[in-house]
Amino acid sequence: MTESTTGVSAVPRSRGRTIGALCAGLGTALAGTSFVATSLLTHYPFLTGQTIRFALGALCLPVLAALSRTPWPRPTRREWRLLALLALTGLVGFNLAALAALRSAEPAVLGVVVGATPLVVAVAGPLLGGRPVSWRLTGSAALVVAGAALVIGYGRGSWAGVGFSLLALLGEVSFTLLAVPLLPRLGAVPVASYVCVLATVEMGVLAAAIDLPTGALRLPRPGELAALLYLAMAVTAAAFILYYLGLRRLGPERTSLFAGLIPVTAACTAPLVGSGTLGAAQLAGSALVGIGLSAGLSAPEPVGAVSGAGDSGHRDRPKVPGPVAEENP
């Protein structure tokens, strides 16, 4: 059997890519259902709700790790800095920027700008990793972005709304790219757990500084508690793990393509709760997202890329670009 340039046979690589696609697809689809749950929290303090969500998610993850007997490496100082930055930008910063954008622009503006994530990652990922840009993957990302924009619509907004949407886009991109050097050694479950704990602390500080003085803190009502539990278990714990498992096997460019499934899932589930309709534009956009995903997943491995597909994360691990991680003290 012909061996690939990374020493992984073609059959395991194909199987690993399939598993990665299933994980990334399911993870982003779960993230798309967050809009339905969030609609039940419109009258609950935002910062407090996010703190509870991340805290509950952080409690779920170690349980999953224990049940699956996942190894739990101790992060180095460099990895702690990356984890803190990932939590600050990819979780806390993204949510705050998205909230600010929604206050001065229609939701469609935020959706279209953040929907450009696959295109940004398709270019930034290879450049940061010292690899040439794959134009086939970039073209696939463009199709996914165009399809997502059709599903969402375009909306109207102010310059401030667009600016905050761009900040949310940067947060979404960092959620993928900052995880790339962390996953090979730490693994998906520990990375998701550490990030949730750090995000709980960071968001909790903001909640104590802003919600507490205004007297906005209160216990969630039954419907709000159910929404927070769903966001914690399905959208935070499960979706994070699945997305990062996909990221380990597919790499950032291919994995980010699945972000196009978020508006598709939201568009399909919105009619179930009477908060939207599924029309011709949504169907056409969903088809474009599907074409872009198919083209990207079937693209040949980019020159210089190192894939861990087909393994469990303990052998043939991808090399991490950048300086060598420092040892634990």
Side-chain angles (χ1 to χ4, degrees):
M1 181 179 292
T2 303
E3 295 291 323
S4 68
T5 56
T6 59
V8 182
S9 66
V11 172
R13 169 170 291 182
S14 175
R15 180 174 177 270
R17 187 177 290 187
T18 300
I19 294 173
L22 290 173
C23 289
L26 182 55
T28 49
L30 284 173
T33 65
S34 66
F35 299 103
V36 175
T38 303
S39 67
L40 302 175
L41 297 169
T42 53
H43 300 295
Y44 193 75
F46 177 79
L47 297 175
T48 303
Q50 292 298 311
T51 302
I52 295 173
R53 167 196 171 182
F54 293 140
L56 292 174
L59 292 174
C60 294
L61 288 162
V63 175
L64 294 175
L67 292 175
S68 61
R69 299 182 179 179
T70 300
W72 204 274
R74 180 185 174 189
T76 64
R77 287 190 293 270
R78 174 177 177 268
E79 288 169 340
W80 273 122
R81 289 193 291 268
L82 284 174
L83 287 165
L85 184 60
L86 173 53
L88 182 63
T89 57
L91 273 67
V92 177
F94 170 82
N95 282 282
L96 293 178
L99 177 65
L102 291 173
R103 287 176 173 171
S104 52
E106 293 181 359
V109 175
L110 174 65
V112 169
V113 174
V114 175
T117 298
L119 194 55
V120 176
V121 173
V123 176
L127 293 179
L128 292 175
R131 297 179 279 110
V133 175
S134 167
W135 295 112
R136 178 165 173 175
L137 285 173
T138 303
S140 301
L143 285 175
V144 170
V145 170
L150 271 178
V151 171
I152 299 168
Y154 299 96
R156 294 172 295 178
S158 64
W159 284 107
V162 174
F164 283 118
S165 297
L166 288 172
L167 289 177
L169 169 63
L170 292 177
E172 186 70 12
V173 170
S174 72
F175 183 76
T176 295
L177 294 184
L178 288 177
V180 171
L182 294 167
L183 290 171
R185 195 182 77 84
L186 297 180
V189 177
V191 167
S193 301
Y194 288 130
V195 168
C196 281
V197 170
L198 291 167
T200 300
V201 174
E202 294 165 355
M203 191 68 84
V205 170
L206 292 174
I210 298 174
D211 287 349
L212 186 59
T214 61
L217 290 178
R218 63 174 175 82
L219 292 174
R221 299 185 180 95
E224 294 169 338
L225 180 59
L228 287 171
L229 287 172
Y230 179 80
L231 287 171
M233 292 186 289
V235 179
T236 302
F240 281 16
I241 292 173
L242 288 167
Y243 184 81
Y244 282 154
L245 286 172
L247 183 59
R248 292 187 70 177
R249 288 169 169 80
L250 300 177
E253 295 96 304
R254 285 188 176 86
T255 307
S256 67
L257 293 174
F258 286 90
L261 291 180
I262 294 178
V264 171
T265 305
C268 292
T269 55
L272 299 178
V273 293
S275 60
T277 59
L278 188 63
Q282 286 73 33
L283 293 174
S286 299
L288 267 182
V289 169
I291 293 171
L293 274 170
S294 299
L297 291 175
S298 62
E301 200 70 28
V303 177
V306 180
S307 174
D311 67 74
S312 61
H314 299 288
R315 51 189 174 84
D316 297 319
R317 287 176 174 169
K319 298 178 180 178
V320 180
V324 177
E326 54 197 282
E327 294 297 325
N328 289 311

